[in-house]
Amino acid sequence: MATQTSSPPPPPPPPPLPPTESVGRRSKFIWPLLIAASVSIGAYLYMKTNKDEKTQGDVPVPAPAVTSSTPTTTPTAISTASVSPPPPAVMQPVKPIPVDQQRELFKWILEEKRKVKTKDPQEKKKIDEEKALLKQFIRSKSIPSL
């Protein structure tokens, strides 16, 4: 019998070389995404704070006279202490609308109700009831005052 001579085992593969490029250069496609996301978040926050400033009210706060004997206070304490409530609104008497103008208004509303396209039967039923009520007001001799 013949004996087989075995050849030496193959050498293991060399370990992978460490990357020579920086992480930033290897991920070029991520940078535009990160920039776009940060710009959009910044714009959102800017618009949100800008809207909040507009809705807080435009009541001017008078500056307190600061002397050496007066202690300094925080701006929030000054603004809450010096702002008085607005005066109550004066109600103007409501002038009655003439009957002819009311009928014209009801006719216009009825025309607009006829133009509405409904999607579900409940909404259609509600609009039909409103149209029937408007027709009654238009046909009646006297229109009730509100």
Side-chain angles (χ1 to χ4, degrees):
M1 293 205 180
T3 62
Q4 294 182 351
T5 57
S6 64
S7 63
L17 297 174
T20 57
E21 295 180 343
S22 67
V23 176
R25 292 194 183 262
R26 277 186 282 153
S27 56
K28 286 182 182 179
F29 63 93
I30 293 178
W31 289 112
L33 178 67
L34 289 175
I35 291 172
S38 63
V39 167
S40 62
I41 290 171
Y44 170 76
L45 292 175
Y46 174 75
M47 294 303 291
K48 184 177 178 183
T49 57
N50 195 11
K51 185 175 91 173
D52 290 344
E53 289 173 4
K54 288 180 184 177
T55 58
Q56 285 179 355
D58 297 331
V59 178
V61 178
V66 178
T67 61
S68 61
S69 63
T70 350
T72 58
T73 57
T74 62
T76 56
I78 293 170
S79 65
T80 56
S82 63
V83 175
S84 62
V90 178
M91 295 295 292
Q92 298 282 337
V94 178
K95 297 178 184 177
I97 301 174
V99 176
D100 294 336
Q101 286 183 353
Q102 286 182 3
R103 279 204 172 88
E104 289 177 24
L105 181 65
F106 288 147
K107 287 178 183 179
W108 177 79
I109 294 172
L110 182 62
E111 290 173 12
E112 293 299 316
K113 294 281 184 185
R114 287 177 178 157
K115 294 177 185 177
V116 173
K117 304 292 183 193
T118 59
K119 293 184 178 181
D120 56 17
Q122 292 175 345
E123 187 178 355
K124 181 170 176 43
K125 183 179 177 183
K126 179 182 173 188
I127 290 178
D128 287 342
E129 291 172 359
E130 291 172 356
K131 288 193 296 188
L133 184 63
L134 286 169
K135 288 177 186 177
Q136 287 178 357
F137 283 144
I138 292 170
R139 292 179 190 144
S140 67
K141 292 183 181 180
S142 63
I143 297 176
S145 61
L146 299 176

